[in-house]
């Protein structure tokens, strides 16, 4: 069925939401250590019961510092006051969001040290990655300009690389690093994750379900910890309809529940190797499990399980969960348009700019829930200051949706209109035919239209070589649309009430220096003057 701007909406059949059952022992905080199936997996990965992270020395609220002065509309949250002298531990600091958070903390606060967990073979290699991927990044140009010749000294004093890997026992850290971070850290930001939608199921479980628990177990041993921040995704809630409130995903629920033990036992069916047959097996089983349990991708299923598990084992550790929608390039600070690598929407944008997507599989009226990365970073920092300042044990985790679908929606139709206006004047390939996209709700009809348009554009006409090239282009476009199909027909809208409260509590100066209000975004300007030029400059060259 072809759908134009005046068409009606169409959605998948409703699928009942699922939850993860509780398979965690509360005595030793090990991941399901009392379950024989999972014990086998843990043993295989050398996750010993004498982990350095099993002792719990997180102080009770009564031993923490006295609460800061009451916040009112004039004094603000106290972002700068909170971060003064605070030491932060960050996983995933070389990723898009982690890097922007680190830059913002350095540029706008007087925090103490930032310990960066970096995957590397030794300390020298970790320093090399710090230099090449963070210190020398274009993102840090404003800092370089601000501090001039003292810039290198500043970042080397403030940024402390720690050799580690969240997928290894004790996060791959040596005992010296563990002791140093455990004694110093006030805030943990767990941003590291595998973000490939349909990666191998075993790899996604390891990085997005088991690894966050390693970080939380470590958090429970930190002497001065005030807050644990877990970066999740809005798409842990995907197929529920209506407005999704900022509520934690709690363990339990008997109807259609996801059994974590059963899910992990699937990973024991084949030896962990990297041959094509094993890779295909784990990808296939991951997609099957995700679809059966109510998610579109293996990534979403594993992020949902990871969030639930961290919430379950946190004990008295205050937990802040950030759920961003589709993160894209910076809107304003420190560098408009800066982005690292292709994000969710970017392969679609680039392919459309090359004339390869004359049709698309989506509902044109569905909001494309995107959010610039600098707003996510600012919101994360502001929320940490607010909840870190409370100095009390949270009865439950606090959730922040970082999304645009309710406060400042942009539909798929709007987005492709902005792309059309831009690329018809400046296509990415000379001579590329850029036309307004045709929307479909049926894959077969979409595929037929797509292939026909591509064949006509390139004039295949029986030329076998050209025919093969057209088929390759069409297959790639189909794969893209199929992979992101769930975004094109997304049913929920993400409530952002906690961000609105945050904005109300921020002082005018804080609102200016830590911009978090998605209502201020001009989407046409963002696409045509910021994001597409940023893609060209920092990704596609």
């Amino acid at each position: 069925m072809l759908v134009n701007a005046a068409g009606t909406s169409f959605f998948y059949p409703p699928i009942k939401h699922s939850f993860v059952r509780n398979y965690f022992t509360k005595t030793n905080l090990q991941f399901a250590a009392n379950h024989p199936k999972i014990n086998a997996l843990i043993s295989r990965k050398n996750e010993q019961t004498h982990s350095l992270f099993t002792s719990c020395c997180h102080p009770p609220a009564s031993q923490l510092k006295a609460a800061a002065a009451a916040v009112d509309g004039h004094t603000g949250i106290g972002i700068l006051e909170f971060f003064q002298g605070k030491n932060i531990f960050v996983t995933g600091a070389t990723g898009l969001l982690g890097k922007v958070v680190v830059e913002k903390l350095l540029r706008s606060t007087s925090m103490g040290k930032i310990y960066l967990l970096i995957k590397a073979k030794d300390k020298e290699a970790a320093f090399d990655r710090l230099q090449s991927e963070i210190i020398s990044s274009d993102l840090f140009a404003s800092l370089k300009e601000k501090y001039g010749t003292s810039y290198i000294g500043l970042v080397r004093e403030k940024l402390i690389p720690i050799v580690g890997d969240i997928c290894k026992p004790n996060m791959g850290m040596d005992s010296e690093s563990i002791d140093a971070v455990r004694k110093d850290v006030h805030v943990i930001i767990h941003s590291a994750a595998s973000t490939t939608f349909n990666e191998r199921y075993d790899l996604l479980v390891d990085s997005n379900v088991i690894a966050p628990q390693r970080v939380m177990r470590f958090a429970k041993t930190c002497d001065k910890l005030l807050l644990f921040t877990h970066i999740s995704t809005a798409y842990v809630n995907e197929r529920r309809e209506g407005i999704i409130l900022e509520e934690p995903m709690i363990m339990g629920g008997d109807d259609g529940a996801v059994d974590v033990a059963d899910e992990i036992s699937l990973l024991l069916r084949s030896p962990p190797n990297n041959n094509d047959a094993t890779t295909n097996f784990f990808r296939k089983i991951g997609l099957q499990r995700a679809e059966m349990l109510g998610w579109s991708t293996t990534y979403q299923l594993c992020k949902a399980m990871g969030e639930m598990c961290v919430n379950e084992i946190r004990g008295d550790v205050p937990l802040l969960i950030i759920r961003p929608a589709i993160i894209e390039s910076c809107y304003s600070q420190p560098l408009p348009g800066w982005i690292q690598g292709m994000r969710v929407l970017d392969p679609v944008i680039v392919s459309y700019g090359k004339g390869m997507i004359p049709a698309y599989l989506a509902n044109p009226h569905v909001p494309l829930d995107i959010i610039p990365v600098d707003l996510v970073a600012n919101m994360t920092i502001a929320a940490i200051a607010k909840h870190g300042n409370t100095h009390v044990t949270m009865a439950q985790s606090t959730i922040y949706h970082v999304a645009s679908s309710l406060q400042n929606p942009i539909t798929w139709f709007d987005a492709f209109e902005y792309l059309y206006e831009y690329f018809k004047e400046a296509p990415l390939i000379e001579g590329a035919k850029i036309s307004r996209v045709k929307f479909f709700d049926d894959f077969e009809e979409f595929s037929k239209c797509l292939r026909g348009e591509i064949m006509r554009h390139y004039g295949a006409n029986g030329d076998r070589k050209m025919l093969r090239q057209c088929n390759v282009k069409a297959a790639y476009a189909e794969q893209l649309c199929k992979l992101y199909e769930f975004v094109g027909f997304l049913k929920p809208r993400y409530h952002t009430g906690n961000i609105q409260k945050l904005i109300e509590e921020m002082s005018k100066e804080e609102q200016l220096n830590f911009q978090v209000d998605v209502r201020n975004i001009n989407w046409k300007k963002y696409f045509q003057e910021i994001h597409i030029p940023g893609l060209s400059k920092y990704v596609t060259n």
Side-chain angles (χ1 to χ4, degrees), residues 101-401:
V101 168
V102 168
E103 192 278 340
K104 182 64 174 180
L105 286 171
L106 281 172
R107 178 164 50 87
S108 300
T109 75
S110 55
M111 33 51 70
K113 297 176 182 178
I114 305 180
Y115 294 94
L116 310 175
L117 190 72
I118 295 178
K119 186 185 293 187
K121 63 179 181 180
D122 53 35
K123 292 183 179 180
E124 183 179 354
F127 272 108
D128 288 343
R129 287 197 67 188
L130 173 65
Q131 176 66 43
S132 62
E133 298 183 39
I134 296 179
I135 295 177
S136 300
S137 171
D138 291 336
L139 181 70
F140 288 71
S142 295
L143 270 171
K144 296 175 187 176
E145 183 178 347
K146 178 179 179 179
Y147 289 99
T149 56
S150 62
Y151 169 71
I152 297 298
L154 170 77
V155 294
R156 287 183 176 173
E157 174 190 353
K158 295 287 188 178
L159 302 183
I160 312 299
I162 301 291
V163 177
D165 184 343
I166 61 170
C167 291
K168 291 183 178 179
N170 300 321
M171 296 192 295
M173 298 193 294
D174 59 33
S175 58
E176 181 181 352
S177 298
I178 290 172
D179 289 339
V181 177
R182 174 186 281 159
K183 293 175 182 177
D184 282 352
V185 69
H186 298 95
V187 174
I188 292 177
I189 303 175
H190 177 53
S191 178
S194 174
T195 57
T196 303
F197 279 5
N198 292 326
E199 179 60 275
R200 289 173 50 149
Y201 195 22
D202 57 334
L203 299 182
L204 282 172
V205 166
D206 203 9
S207 60
N208 294 353
V209 181
I210 298 176
Q213 296 168 71
R214 293 192 183 100
V215 186
M216 178 57 82
R217 288 199 300 272
F218 173 66
K220 296 171 80 69
T221 71
C222 293
D223 299 331
K224 304 175 182 177
L225 190 70
L226 300 175
L227 191 68
F228 185 104
T229 304
H230 176 69
I231 307 299
S232 185
T233 173
Y235 300 117
V236 294
N237 288 301
E238 178 211 335
R239 293 188 175 180
R240 294 168 63 188
E241 298 189 31
I243 296 177
I244 306 301
L245 300 179
E246 294 163 302
E247 298 175 341
M249 304 181 75
I250 305 299
M251 289 284 186
D254 294 326
D255 297 332
V258 180
D259 186 327
V260 175
D262 284 350
E263 293 309 303
I264 294 182
S265 71
L266 292 173
L267 309 182
L268 303 177
R269 294 185 182 180
S270 181
N273 57 52
N274 294 317
N275 63 43
D276 291 342
T278 304
T279 295
N280 290 336
F281 168 79
F282 281 124
R283 282 182 174 162
K284 182 178 180 181
I285 199 69
L287 286 171
Q288 288 175 347
R289 300 302 294 173
E291 183 177 357
M292 187 184 79
L293 296 169
W295 284 269
S296 293
T297 68
T298 316
Y299 165 76
Q300 293 164 267
L301 168 62
C302 291
K303 288 296 284 187
M305 289 194 292
E307 181 181 312
M308 296 175 195
C309 295
V310 167
N311 189 50
E312 173 69 12
I313 69 170
R314 71 183 182 91
D316 66 346
V317 173
L319 175 61
L320 174 67
I321 296 177
I322 310 296
R323 291 180 183 163
I326 299 172
I327 302 178
E328 290 290 351
S329 65
C330 290
Y331 186 71
S332 58
Q333 293 183 353
L335 201 57
W338 181 86
I339 192 169
Q340 178 173 285
M342 289 276 198
R343 311 307 297 179
V344 172
L345 189 61
D346 302 330
V348 175
I349 292 175
V350 171
S351 297
Y352 180 77
K354 294 179 178 180
M356 293 172 56
I357 301 187
Y360 198 75
L361 189 66
N363 179 346
H365 305 292
V366 164
L368 175 58
D369 212 327
I370 62 177
I371 195 82
V373 63
D374 51 335
L375 269 71
V376 183
N378 289 338
M379 201 287 306
T380 300
I381 292 170
I384 288 172
K386 173 180 176 177
H387 297 284
N389 262 330
T390 60
H391 300 297
V392 295
T393 301
M394 298 179 182
Q396 63 178 17
S397 55
T398 301
I399 313 292
Y400 279 80
H401 286 150

